[in-house]
Amino acid sequence: MNPQHLLVEASDGSQLAVSRWQAPGPAIVFLHAGVADRRSWIAVAAELQGDGFDLVAYDRRGYGDTPAAAESSSFTHVEDLFTIIDNLGLERVLLVGNSMGGAVALDTALMHPDRVKGLVIIGAAVSGMTDEDTPFDWQPDDASGPLMARADDPKATDDDRIRALAHLWLDGPRAAEGRVAGEARDLFNAMNRKILAVAAPDSAGSSGTDAWTRLGEVSVPVLCTWGDLDLPCDVPFYEETARRIGQGAVQVLPEVAHLPGLEKPALIAELVRERAR
């Protein structure tokens, strides 16, 4: 079944691009990474379509088909999420967030726990995350650091920056460049070409929740997971997130990096399936 493609109007008049695979079952909303857009969830949605779930994915502002916010806009990502949820008539949802999408999911669970059934967060960022209150310091490892520098180099071409981004986030910095090929890599490249062209500020849309110091307050069920090929320098933060949430056994995903929904959608679909019913 092909999705419905919708435009939902936000409070400031902006148009939020949404895809929905509508069904009568439990609602699941997918929240994309900062190096992706809603298309990164298409393969996962395809794996789940036969289960009868009501599946939704949307582009945050400045990604995919949703334009960046005007400088005068005081929007937040959480408000945008609820604009979509309410417009589609959804009551309680399972939020599946990858990377920056995980940060939006956690903020939402803290602010509106009555509307959230649970969270699946993958390689999640956390609003307010810092190493100042941890026994470890964040330092780029010898594999990630050079790729980060290339990806952020304003003098580099978009092609060179996207190549570095793909090695860093899709392949994993310690894996061979090109480990993930084919349609997944083509999609990654297309999504990031658009992201670089728009260049929306990373700080836009903050809800001011500072979830890092409040993770112990999250009252809905959470699965915090990540790929074993993800950035080594970020893994201590994923482990600390799981610890603060109170997660017991840590579940690390084998042979995937930061965007497992792109390279192994069936793996992510099974995680979601187990928690959505």
Side-chain angles (χ1 to χ4, degrees):
M1 180 177 66
N2 293 324
Q4 302 168 277
H5 297 298
L6 312 167
L7 291 176
V8 173
E9 186 171 324
S11 58
D12 63 356
S14 295
Q15 300 291 310
L16 307 173
V18 180
S19 294
R20 185 183 193 184
W21 296 259
Q22 190 168 3
I28 303 170
V29 179
F30 295 97
L31 305 166
H32 64 77
V35 286
D37 60 40
R38 77 187 194 277
R39 291 174 289 176
S40 62
W41 296 111
I42 289 174
V44 177
E47 293 283 346
L48 291 169
Q49 276 189 271
D51 294 84
F53 298 124
D54 195 355
L55 308 173
V56 176
Y58 73 97
D59 291 328
R60 293 196 305 277
R61 301 197 195 204
Y63 295 85
D65 295 322
T66 298
E71 290 186 11
S72 59
S73 177
S74 59
F75 85 99
T76 73
H77 293 306
V78 173
E79 289 172 352
D80 281 355
L81 171 59
F82 272 93
T83 295
I84 292 166
I85 288 173
D86 290 340
N87 182 277
L88 299 183
L90 307 178
E91 293 298 327
R92 294 180 72 236
V93 298
L94 177 73
L95 297 177
V96 181
N98 186 191
S99 192
M100 289 303 298
V104 177
L106 286 165
D107 284 357
T108 303
L110 284 165
M111 296 172 69
H112 303 280
D114 56 318
R115 301 291 300 278
V116 179
K117 179 178 181 178
L119 306 180
V120 176
I121 55 175
I122 307 158
V126 183
S127 61
M129 182 180 277
T130 177
D131 61 4
E132 293 179 359
D133 60 352
T134 69
F136 53 84
D137 296 323
W138 185 87
Q139 292 289 338
D141 56 90
D142 57 358
S144 304
L147 292 172
M148 290 176 180
R150 285 171 49 200
D152 292 338
D153 184 357
K155 297 180 182 178
T157 66
D158 282 358
D159 285 345
D160 287 342
R161 294 181 68 187
I162 291 169
R163 180 177 172 181
L165 286 165
H167 191 175
L168 186 67
W169 300 111
L170 184 62
D171 299 321
R174 293 199 182 279
E177 182 177 7
R179 180 185 66 83
V180 181
E183 292 182 3
R185 198 172 201 85
D186 291 343
L187 178 55
F188 180 92
N189 292 344
M191 291 188 294
N192 280 276
R193 193 168 300 282
K194 196 160 192 177
I195 291 167
L196 291 180
V198 174
D202 292 339
S203 59
S206 171
S207 62
T209 306
D210 191 17
W212 184 245
T213 61
R214 300 179 56 198
L215 289 172
E217 300 174 29
V218 176
S219 58
V220 303
V222 182
L223 172 65
C224 174
T225 188
W226 59 92
D228 66 352
L229 299 179
D230 208 334
L231 278 65
C233 51
D234 287 348
V235 169
F237 288 92
Y238 304 150
E239 294 172 337
E240 180 68 4
T241 299
R243 187 192 69 79
R244 293 187 183 200
I245 288 171
Q247 183 169 313
V250 171
Q251 184 170 352
V252 181
L253 305 177
E255 300 179 0
V256 293
H258 195 64
L259 302 165
L262 273 182
E263 57 171 314
K264 290 193 177 179
L267 176 66
I268 301 307
E270 186 57 31
L271 292 181
V272 173
R273 190 177 287 118
E274 292 171 359
R275 288 156 183 84
R277 295 202 181 278

